[in-house]
Amino acid sequence: MQILDFDSQVFLAPMAGITDKPLRKLTAGFGKGNIVSEMVAINALSRKNPKSYRIADVRDEPYPVVVQLVGSDLQLFDFAAKLAQDLGAHSLDINMGCPVRKIVANKSGSYLMTDMPLASKIIETVVKATPLKVSVKFRKGWDCQHVNAVEFAKMCEESGASYITVHGRTRSEFYSGRADWNIIGEVKAAVKIPVVGNGDVGSVTDARKMLEYTGADGVMIGRAALGQPWLISQIDKGLKTGEEFLPPSHQLVKETLLTHIKELVNYYGEKIALGLSRKYVCWYTKSMRDAKRFREKYVHIDNLPEALKEINLYFEEAKE
Ligand SMILES: Cc1cc2nc3c(=O)[nH]c(=O)nc-3n(C[C@H](O)[C@H](O)[C@H](O)COP(=O)(O)O)c2cc1C
């Protein structure tokens, strides 16, 4: 079942502070896959907060970007949806799964799984606000005593969502334990709109297993893509061709990391980019030789030329 009008059933998950423009550009450069923005707070967007406005502005991105909105106020959702459309969103996603206390306290994110009438009104409001497709991302339920993903999915369908994404964990679980793929299958069996399954997919094999096990129409990948921007297109290709993939060469990992840092510098400026590069260095070098020692050294580097020099040196040494 076609999910978006882009020929792929694989999604890069929205990840706050991570799926920013530099990472989206890098991911799209490797090939096909659906790309979702970081969540954008509708309250901040309505105040024209420069940071949120910039996150929502995807006009210069030549590939389709699903822009994710988070909030709870109906009027602000109407305003934010229209603004996101003007700022180039290909389609809109509503965050009804974020477990973070501050978001939940604001009646947003996974709180909305506990207030279906409000969640329904939000979806109807966003659907009415623009001609763009509207999807909803949510969890298995609030906690193991309140598992309501199936009812919630039906509500999303009735309220006008084009497709839904289900993360197989409750709000209480945050990101711990194994994601429950059974609930994704139960949701798929209960609705007619496409369902994207999410949780613990890190390879072509996992993606195929999840799709077969749940019957879902698409698969969304979050943490496994950290430090592996080629993964989304690899999984897309693997599902289409049956191919499996070898880990990338050190040379490709190094070049991708350096390109990533260059994109971070272009977007955030040198100082912020250097700070952000620390987490990316950890992720890109995760399974490499002597990586721990290198990371410990890297976090103390305070200027970009030295950082780039050390990355080059480390990769030379690690391949010996
Ligand atoms: C650092 C981080 C930030 C996240 N930010 C968002 C977000 O902005 N919106 C959202 O819907 N989910 C967010 N998530 C949840 C992911 O989209 C995804 O549902 C979750 O990581 C499970 O998928 P995985 O097992 O493939 O990682 C975030 C997850 C992480 C680890």
Side-chain angles (χ1 to χ4, degrees):
M1 199 189 289
Q2 180 101 343
I3 305 170
L4 286 170
D5 46 2
F6 191 52
D7 168 32
S8 177
Q9 60 183 153
V10 183
F11 285 71
L12 172 65
M15 286 184 281
I18 294 166
T19 49
D20 54 8
K21 200 181 295 263
L23 182 63
R24 297 197 295 266
K25 188 173 169 190
L26 212 55
T27 305
F30 277 99
K32 286 200 164 162
N34 300 282
I35 292 180
V36 190
S37 76
E38 311 170 69
M39 63 180 170
V40 193
I42 59 166
N43 299 40
L45 208 54
S46 70
R47 292 193 305 269
K48 293 248 165 102
N49 171 297
K51 198 174 156 215
S52 301
Y53 196 86
R54 198 168 180 224
I55 294 177
D57 189 354
V58 299
R59 282 173 294 185
D60 61 347
E61 292 178 66
Y63 38 84
V65 181
V66 182
V67 172
Q68 191 189 59
L69 302 174
V70 66
S72 67
D73 184 279
L74 298 179
Q75 260 183 321
L76 295 187
F77 258 115
D78 177 69
F79 171 84
K82 292 183 167 106
L83 181 59
Q85 182 189 6
D86 292 345
L87 293 176
H90 171 266
S91 64
L92 301 172
D93 185 69
I94 309 174
N95 182 329
M96 298 197 180
C98 181
V100 172
R101 195 182 298 271
K102 210 173 93 187
I103 299 281
V104 168
N106 200 21
K107 298 196 169 178
S108 308
S110 56
Y111 163 84
L112 291 165
M113 292 203 74
T114 68
D115 189 344
M116 288 227 268
L118 177 58
S120 171
K121 279 191 206 129
I122 289 174
I123 300 168
E124 285 169 1
T125 301
V126 178
V127 168
K128 226 171 92 193
T130 80
L132 302 182
K133 283 191 173 178
V134 175
S135 55
V136 183
K137 181 167 178 282
F138 58 91
R139 288 182 171 239
K140 178 176 170 178
W142 179 257
D143 58 22
C144 62
Q145 272 88 45
H146 300 89
V147 171
N148 62 344
V150 169
E151 290 160 74
F152 200 80
K154 288 185 192 161
M155 177 280 293
C156 291
E157 180 170 50
E158 280 158 22
S159 308
S162 290
Y163 70 95
I164 48 180
T165 303
V166 188
H167 176 193
R169 288 186 178 84
T170 62
R171 187 267 173 176
S172 308
E173 289 172 308
F174 274 66
Y175 300 103
S176 67
R178 297 286 306 165
D180 176 6
W181 289 1
N182 291 315
I183 194 77
I184 299 170
E186 287 170 34
V187 166
K188 172 61 193 167
V191 295
K192 292 193 188 68
I193 52 175
V195 174
V196 178
N198 172 232
D200 298 341
V201 171
S203 64
V204 179
T205 310
D206 291 344
R208 195 175 297 119
K209 270 194 205 150
M210 144 96 76
L211 293 173
E212 281 170 11
Y213 189 79
T214 63
D217 307 281
V219 57
M220 178 178 274
I221 294 114
R223 289 162 298 171
L226 301 175
Q228 301 200 84
W230 48 81
L231 188 67
I232 300 299
S233 68
Q234 258 186 8
I235 293 181
D236 176 77
K237 255 188 242 153
L239 290 176
K240 284 171 180 157
T241 63
E243 266 178 86
E244 293 296 339
F245 291 89
L246 293 172
S249 66
H250 279 188
Q251 183 63 19
L252 178 71
V253 177
K254 181 183 91 172
E255 281 167 14
T256 310
L257 171 58
L258 292 174
T259 307
H260 199 156
I261 295 176
K262 195 178 94 195
E263 294 294 347
L264 291 169
V265 172
N266 290 343
Y267 189 65
Y268 294 108
E270 241 179 76
K271 190 159 175 261
I272 294 176
L274 178 66
L276 292 173
S277 75
R278 293 181 184 136
K279 66 183 177 193
Y280 287 107
V281 161
C282 288
W283 291 328
Y284 278 90
T285 61
K286 201 162 87 189
S287 50
M288 286 176 63
R289 186 142 65 95
D290 225 4
K292 190 162 173 270
R293 180 198 55 79
F294 174 59
R295 286 183 227 137
E296 278 163 8
K297 182 172 178 188
Y298 190 87
V299 293
H300 297 294
I301 298 176
D302 64 359
N303 68 84
L304 196 68
E306 196 190 337
L308 300 180
K309 192 181 96 197
E310 289 297 335
I311 290 172
N312 275 301
L313 269 176
Y314 169 69
F315 275 86
E316 278 307 307
E317 284 167 14
K319 78 177 178 200
E320 279 163 15

